[in-house]
Amino acid sequence: MDNSIRIFEDVTSLRQQRNVALLEKRLVGLVPTMGALHEGHLALIRQAAKDMHEVYVSIYVNPTQFGLNEDLDKYPKTWDADMEKMIGLNKNLKDTKAKGRITTVFKPTSQVMYPNLPPTSDPNGSGSFVTITPLGSLLEGASRPVFFRGVATVCMKLFNIIQPDYVFFGQKDIQQVLVINRMIQDFHINTQLILCPIVREPDGLAFSSRNVFLGHHRRDLAPALLGALTAARNTFARGARLRDEILGPAHHIMSLVQEANRKLHPSYHIGFEVDYFSLTDPLDMQEVESVGSSRGAILSGALKMLPRSLEYVREDEDTIPVRLIDNILLDADKVLAFIRNRRGDNVVKALS
Ligand code: AMP
């Protein structure tokens, strides 16, 4: 099998290739990414290759989803390593039962993606945008007002350019999955979304391109987020159904971590804030007071890891604020049944 990967920066030539796949009735799956590929991304690609003849990976750090004070300029860019990983993955896929492999990488410039007006992060800025409300204004959207407008807009562009039969997204960003799934439904986009499980490091921290900024002090504390969510999930598993009963243990764990942290010598002190622990309905991510028996719930959390005091920092990375998010689906099968597309086909699949 030919392992070569074609790289496209512009729309016309990519579309020509996409049309060939369409004429030959080969399924095309898209894995949208911002690059700095890690095991989480590679798992999405492997999942796509299982059933797709051709996997398209997009690598584009989309400016409009970064707030004005966020880390757009610092976002890691590792193009050569990304290509090496994808070439290596293609080689490994040869030895599996996968139907396809990565055939195409789309690596557009901002001029290509935003052909008329420069991309803006200003909530009131001009341009053509997709907004999905109220879903996109809650939780992550409350802390990052332009985030889901940027995500939905760039995904709409990618879907229009590539016309993928299937799109693959990670459960790590569960609210993003709901926003994109809602966009697919509401705009009648001719694609199907496959939800892939969260891939974690051995200590439980979900892989994320931004983890490289944690530095080892903050990295040591980061798995506490999953620890807190797991405590909440365990309470649910023991029969608790009320919001406060379930979220209480998560807050308790983080306050214990905070207390222990405060007792440390300032040179080891790690500043963090719990942005939220949340228990939401799987359909619209509205907070719920209890978990119903019919639809399960999404348990999610976000931590803001603050920059360490400059006085004590030994590594550059420690000076950048890092946002950590994670989630667990309570009664996952029921949750997925509710996220499922109303067209009735098996649009969102549970793979975890
Ligand atoms: P990003 O490059 O961070 O925009 O992520 C691209 C895709 O990879 C999104 O669908 C993410 O949800 C997914 N992803 C990122 N991290 C993980 C992870 N640890 N496990 C599974 N999927 C992930």
Side-chain angles (χ1 to χ4, degrees), residues 13-82:
S13 50
L14 179 130
R15 277 196 171 139
Q16 279 164 1
Q17 181 187 298
R18 171 65 183 99
N19 280 343
V20 175
L22 182 69
L23 290 173
E24 295 180 356
K25 295 195 166 62
R26 286 201 304 272
L27 285 175
V28 168
L30 168 65
V31 180
T33 81
M34 297 209 296
L37 300 185
H38 51 65
E39 274 307 313
H41 298 116
L42 300 185
L44 295 191
I45 297 172
R46 272 188 218 103
Q47 179 63 44
K50 240 187 212 171
D51 299 317
M52 302 289 113
H53 299 102
E54 297 198 30
V55 181
Y56 283 38
V57 178
S58 63
I59 296 190
Y60 177 59
V61 182
N62 171 39
T64 63
Q65 70 193 64
F66 287 74
L68 290 169
N69 300 318
E70 289 182 22
D71 55 353
L72 173 61
D73 296 339
K74 302 199 177 79
Y75 198 84
K77 292 186 188 67
T78 57
W79 169 251
D80 291 338
D82 290 352

Side-chain angles (χ1 to χ4, degrees), residues 161-227:
I161 294 167
I162 295 169
Q163 311 256 321
D165 296 297
Y166 289 80
V167 290
F168 293 79
F169 283 85
Q171 185 198 314
K172 151 112 190 314
D173 302 278
I174 187 69
Q175 192 178 2
Q176 171 169 282
V177 168
L178 295 205
V179 166
I180 297 304
N181 200 44
R182 182 66 66 89
M183 181 180 89
I184 290 171
Q185 293 168 7
D186 283 350
F187 290 92
H188 297 278
I189 300 174
N190 192 17
T191 195
Q192 303 197 4
L193 188 152
I194 305 290
L195 171 59
C196 303
I198 302 175
V199 183
R200 301 177 179 285
E201 304 218 36
D203 63 4
L205 178 66
F207 279 100
S208 163
S209 302
R210 288 187 171 95
N211 288 353
V212 293
F213 295 135
L214 286 169
H216 72 269
H217 287 94
R218 294 190 300 178
R219 173 66 188 76
D220 286 349
L221 190 144
L225 175 57
L226 178 65

